[in-house]
Amino acid sequence: MIYLRRKIDVYLREWKEDRNRKPLIVKGARQVGKTESILRFAKAAYESVININFVEEPKYRMITADGYATEDIVRNISRMDPAKRFPEGKTLIFFDELQAFPDIATALKFFKIDGRFDVICSGSLLGINYRQIESNSVGYKTDYEMYSLDFEEFLWAKGYEDSTVEEMLGHLREYRPFNEVEMSVYNSLFLDYCILGGMPAVVREYIENGTFEGTLTLQKQLIEDYKEDIRKYAEGMDQTRILNVFRQIPPQLAKENKKFQISRVASGARFKDYRGCVEWLCDAGIVRICYCLNFPELPLKGNYDDSKFKLYLADTGLLVAMLDEEAQEDLRVNRNLGVYKGALYENIVAEALTKSGTELFYYKREDSTLEEDFFVRTARSLLPLEVKARKGTAKSLRTLVGSGRYEDIRYGLKLCAGNVGFQDQILTMPYFCTFLLKRYLKECEF
């Protein structure tokens, strides 16, 4: 089975080289490749790897029976499996499926103080139990959030080198349009990525077969796995409500007004009854919340209405798998990404922004048609970002940039099917460059 190169690979090596490293917790939704990447790193970097999976081997939930001290835990692991060896300074203990036994997080403080063994924890749905994990290990752990593959990792999977990405970034730095061959190749790759999403199993199937055959089946199974997780980990009546919210995301994104409306989820549904359901899905890494700003200005934190939001799926490929069969067929056969009224474009941009560490905000002015899809910021300013499903004018974007009413806004960004360009304080770029946006903004003068 081919290994898909991931960004966490570099992070793990740097973590190992840090003399003051703390136990590491790798968070992320199910099936994004956490266990595979951690084990591959561990086997190359350590003489002994102690792999404990709290779901597959529930007996190990007893290892804290004598307390949380390192020597007590190591002794109990050895009692349960005498074959496990713990050479000091050469051993990694990997606690997998942490959500099934979050209490082990209490031991991280003792492992850090003891210092003889390195520890990595991982698991899906960690956000659900994270308050408990945080309180049990505050100050004695490092967090890393892992996502499904972004477009850069997809390019790696297709055989492209780092130089390709650097060349793409060069186009943005110099406002230099891509040539016809580049536009054709990158647009084609990006369309494939949009249809597939970034779940490793799906991408691997596509890479190995060279076609979309079998990928939809895998995507649909992942959707069912997510639903099963909701039934398994959500409590009481919330299960039905959470599932209803989850199922409503594609049809609500298809609307011209993409604001998520709780009233459409179920008859008589009220925001206060469903707020926790939306947060549950977000904590589980299944959806991303994009809040409506009160006014487009800095700072963004605290400057939004938490009762007005849009919901996006964390992986666009799974959104595709939830569409009706006709839309899926249109996407795969005709490669028509314009289907579903631009919802796919917005979702893929939301996904790329999230994976680069950007929080999601939008703006809709109540007394006019002014509406902006997303916002990103630099050290000095706020940049509105418009996603155009088709070529055309970006009226709201031009208003925000040019009216003078919005003091923090001096430049704007437009993502579209067109080429790179800069005019009237607005940088236009192709969709396939979205993953480079944060990297670019760090070094530009906006």
Side-chain angles (χ1 to χ4, degrees):
M1 185 174 71
I2 61 170
Y3 177 74
L4 301 175
R5 176 187 170 194
R6 305 300 302 275
K7 291 181 177 178
I8 195 176
D9 298 343
V10 173
Y11 180 87
L12 290 170
R13 289 195 295 270
E14 291 175 347
W15 172 80
K16 175 75 164 61
E17 290 167 4
D18 182 359
R19 290 186 176 182
N20 295 315
R21 61 186 172 276
K22 299 175 182 178
L24 176 64
I25 295 182
V26 179
K27 301 186 288 183
R30 68 143 60 231
Q31 302 292 332
V32 297
K34 301 182 296 297
T35 299
E36 182 182 14
S37 292
I38 292 167
L39 286 178
R40 185 174 186 269
F41 154 76
K43 289 171 183 175
Y46 292 88
E47 180 181 310
S48 177
V49 180
I50 309 300
N51 181 13
I52 293 176
N53 186 307
F54 290 119
V55 168
E56 294 178 1
E57 300 174 291
K59 66 180 182 180
Y60 282 107
R61 299 177 201 180
M62 297 292 295
I63 58 177
T64 57
D66 297 322
Y68 299 98
T70 299
E71 59 186 86
D72 292 332
I73 289 175
V74 169
R75 187 188 307 114
N76 281 330
I77 292 173
S78 297
R79 283 171 178 158
M80 293 178 182
D81 184 355
K84 287 180 165 53
R85 294 287 180 263
F86 295 82
E88 294 180 13
K90 300 177 181 180
T91 298
L92 175 75
I93 302 174
F94 176 33
F95 294 121
D96 202 3
E97 301 292 1
L98 183 62
Q99 79 282 354
F101 188 51
D103 200 41
I104 193 64
T106 303
L108 299 185
K109 173 181 178 180
F110 298 94
F111 275 108
K112 169 58 179 169
I113 294 171
D114 182 278
R116 289 178 292 163
F117 312 107
D118 288 347
V119 177
I120 296 180
C121 303
S122 182
S124 57
L125 294 145
L126 282 188
I128 309 306
N129 296 312
Y130 210 67
R131 288 175 186 84
Q132 179 183 348
I133 293 169
E134 180 71 40
S135 63
N136 288 353
S137 54
V138 63
Y140 293 95
K141 64 174 178 57
T142 301
D143 293 321
Y144 181 92
E145 186 156 10
M146 189 173 179
Y147 306 98
S148 61
L149 282 80
D150 67 8
F151 187 51
E152 184 171 11
E153 291 170 317
F154 180 78
L155 290 174
W156 294 342
K158 289 288 290 182
Y160 290 89
E161 301 292 337
D162 293 339
S163 56
T164 301
V165 173
E166 189 61 28
E167 171 65 20
M168 293 170 75
L169 190 57
H171 283 274
L172 300 183
R173 291 187 183 113
E174 302 163 22
Y175 305 141
R176 174 166 46 93
F178 292 91
N179 66 36
E180 190 175 342
V181 173
E182 289 170 324
M183 285 295 286
S184 175
V185 169
Y186 296 148
N187 273 323
S188 179
L189 287 164
F190 188 70
L191 277 169
D192 287 353
Y193 173 68
C194 291
I195 293 167
L196 292 163
M199 301 303 275
V202 178
V203 174
R204 188 177 285 113
E205 185 82 5
Y206 162 78
I207 296 295
E208 290 178 345
N209 295 334
T211 69
F212 290 127
E213 184 180 356
T215 58
L216 179 58
T217 301
L218 285 171
Q219 288 171 327
K220 285 185 174 295
Q221 183 56 54
L222 285 166
I223 292 292
E224 292 306 311
D225 289 345
Y226 279 165
K227 291 178 181 177
E228 183 59 33
D229 280 343
I230 292 169
R231 296 185 187 99
K232 183 176 180 180
Y233 291 102
E235 297 177 358
M237 287 294 292
D238 280 347
Q239 292 179 5
T240 301
R241 288 177 178 170
I242 293 170
L243 283 167
N244 286 342
V245 170
F246 181 58
R247 294 188 183 105
Q248 272 287 308
I249 294 173
Q252 295 221 24
L253 276 178
K255 304 192 311 284
E256 289 297 333
N257 172 21
K258 295 177 176 61
K259 173 189 169 187
F260 195 85
Q261 294 175 285
I262 295 294
S263 60
R264 292 180 177 234
V265 174
S267 178
R270 296 176 299 176
F271 174 73
K272 68 174 186 177
D273 296 327
Y274 278 81
R275 180 175 187 161
C277 301
V278 173
E279 292 174 350
W280 193 99
L281 287 166
C282 185
D283 285 343
I286 297 172
V287 307
R288 303 298 173 201
I289 304 176
C290 181
Y291 287 110
C292 183
L293 291 173
N294 295 318
F295 190 79
E297 65 182 357
L298 296 172
L300 297 175
K301 287 287 181 71
N303 175 29
Y304 61 87
D305 186 341
D306 63 4
S307 69
K308 297 176 183 176
F309 53 85
K310 296 184 284 188
L311 288 182
Y312 299 101
L313 281 179
D315 186 89
T316 304
L318 300 186
L319 173 63
V320 170
M322 293 175 72
L323 301 182
D324 56 77
E325 290 186 7
E326 290 76 11
Q328 291 172 7
E329 184 72 12
D330 196 10
L331 275 167
R332 283 173 165 75
V333 176
N334 301 317
R335 298 162 70 78
N336 176 20
L337 204 62
V339 72
Y340 238 59
K341 302 178 183 177
L344 296 176
Y345 288 101
E346 273 198 39
N347 204 98
I348 200 73
V349 170
E351 179 184 345
L353 291 175
T354 299
K355 288 177 176 178
S356 67
T358 301
E359 292 187 71
L360 304 179
F361 298 98
Y362 77 103
Y363 179 65
K364 180 171 176 57
R365 192 168 150 189
E366 295 295 339
D367 61 351
S368 77
T369 58
L370 183 68
E371 183 173 7
E372 198 53 81
D373 300 320
F374 301 103
F375 289 83
V376 293
R377 65 162 303 171
T378 66
R380 300 188 299 173
S381 63
L382 182 65
L383 282 76
L385 191 161
E386 188 144 331
V387 181
K388 298 298 290 184
R390 298 175 180 82
K391 291 183 179 180
T393 58
K395 184 179 176 182
S396 291
L397 182 59
R398 295 187 185 282
T399 299
L400 288 166
V401 172
S403 71
R405 181 182 177 188
Y406 309 96
E407 294 182 1
D408 293 324
I409 297 174
R410 295 184 290 276
Y411 300 91
L413 302 164
K414 183 172 76 169
L415 293 166
C416 64
N419 215 320
V420 174
F422 185 78
Q423 186 176 9
D424 299 329
Q425 306 297 93
I426 295 174
L427 172 63
T428 301
M429 64 178 74
Y431 303 114
F432 59 74
C433 287
T434 309
F435 77 98
L436 291 168
L437 191 54
K438 189 167 185 177
R439 224 174 301 179
Y440 167 72
L441 291 177
K442 276 186 178 179
E443 57 185 63
C444 75
E445 297 182 357
F446 284 170

